[in-house]
Amino acid sequence: MTLQQFFTAVPKAAVAFSGGTDSALLLWAAKQYGCDLRAYYVKTAFQPDFELADARRLAEQLSVPMTVVEMDILSVPEAAANGPRRCYYCKRALFGRLRQAAAADGFSVLLDGTNASDDAGDRPGMVALRELEVRSPLRECGISKAEVRRMSRQAGLFTWDKPAYACLATRVPTGTAITADALHRVEQAETALTALGFSDFRVRLLDGCARIQMTEDQLPRALDCRGQILKALEPLFPAVLLDLAARQPSR
């Protein structure tokens, strides 16, 4: 099945839109193939501001209406507790809220950007999507991550080479309760590093300290910029650490 065939069979749908590479291609394809659609972005403390900015930019470029749904994800006890099944409870809450918003606007079908390279298995988040009957056209059409990037580039989407980005909750070690303050400090730190010209990195919490993970090609520059990094991050954390085990580049 192709995406064109999918949207011929599904002529009206709501798209869960994160502003990332996968959901961007999905939104483009839905628009390209004549689907009556609306994008829905859920804004929580787990999503940094730049993701919403990217989502708004692309929705505007594609002339697709977008609704921003605000949600207090930390009010979901199982999500805030950050146990091993956090992702299940988070996805269940977020997509449940998105489905409500979409249904209120007359959409009975909700789509997400899971692609064929994503390991579905019994991953907690995937289980939640199946339970809520969220459909994943990229996965159903056998479109891999590499194909998503290739097709996005051909379509002229600025997201084609955007690094994969996991939500801010992943910066907090499993088993450590997530607080709004911790998420805010991590987002500030990652924003500061981006402003210094770094990309495809993570700032993770380690006993309350910042543990910076860089790809191997960026490690020398991180050492050269040590003073600037410390100036930006020391006000946020009691200690700033650079992980010398290189981070694998995002695909």
Side-chain angles (χ1 to χ4, degrees):
M1 178 170 57
T2 65
L3 285 172
Q4 183 171 8
Q5 290 170 332
F6 179 92
F7 286 112
T8 297
V10 182
K12 181 175 181 177
V15 176
F17 184 41
S18 69
T21 306
D22 298 327
S23 60
L25 179 67
L26 178 61
L27 200 68
W28 172 85
K31 174 76 174 183
Q32 180 76 8
Y33 299 125
C35 183
D36 177 7
L37 78 154
R38 174 174 284 272
Y40 290 83
Y41 181 97
V42 61
K43 181 71 176 86
T44 78
F46 289 177
Q47 281 74 45
D49 288 340
F50 80 82
E51 291 279 48
L52 177 54
D54 282 355
R56 282 181 165 145
R57 176 184 168 190
L58 190 69
E60 183 176 339
Q61 286 183 356
L62 296 176
S63 298
V64 172
M66 186 177 87
T67 296
V68 178
V69 179
E70 301 271 354
M71 184 174 180
D72 179 12
I73 192 61
L74 293 178
S75 69
V76 178
E78 299 89 347
N82 198 25
R85 287 176 56 79
R86 181 204 72 236
C87 194
Y88 168 81
Y89 294 108
C90 180
K91 290 279 191 185
R92 180 87 195 182
L94 297 186
F95 277 82
R97 179 69 185 89
L98 287 180
R99 183 169 281 289
Q100 290 176 349
D105 292 334
F107 294 94
S108 60
V109 178
L110 179 60
L111 312 177
D112 93 308
T114 302
N115 66 64
S117 297
D118 292 324
D119 178 19
D122 290 322
R123 283 172 53 186
M126 298 289 195
V127 172
L129 295 181
R130 288 199 297 269
E131 289 177 353
L132 291 168
E133 299 182 334
V134 177
R135 295 191 66 177
S136 305
L138 301 179
R139 186 173 184 80
E140 291 183 33
C141 294
I143 299 173
S144 68
K145 187 70 173 188
E147 291 175 296
V148 167
R149 293 198 182 280
R150 177 184 59 77
M151 293 169 68
S152 296
R153 188 173 189 177
Q154 290 177 342
L157 304 180
F158 72 86
T159 52
W160 78 268
D161 64 345
K162 184 176 179 178
Y165 189 87
C167 79
L168 292 171
T170 62
R171 313 303 195 268
V172 182
T174 300
T176 299
I178 300 172
T179 66
D181 175 68
L183 296 173
H184 182 61
R185 286 186 291 120
V186 167
E187 183 175 359
Q188 282 185 290
E190 294 195 347
T191 299
L193 291 178
T194 299
L196 290 173
F198 294 100
S199 63
D200 197 7
F201 62 85
R202 298 288 186 267
V203 176
R204 301 191 189 278
L205 295 183
L206 179 64
D207 294 329
C209 302
R211 173 189 168 206
I212 304 172
Q213 295 178 316
M214 296 276 186
T215 53
E216 187 169 4
D217 62 309
Q218 296 184 101
L219 286 174
R221 183 164 175 267
L223 293 172
D224 289 341
C225 295
R226 172 179 166 273
Q228 292 172 284
I229 292 174
L230 287 175
K231 182 179 179 181
L233 271 60
E234 277 188 330
L236 302 171
F237 303 98
V240 179
L241 314 173
L242 178 62
D243 192 337
L244 297 181
R247 165 182 163 76
Q248 292 300 308
S250 298
R251 292 288 187 263

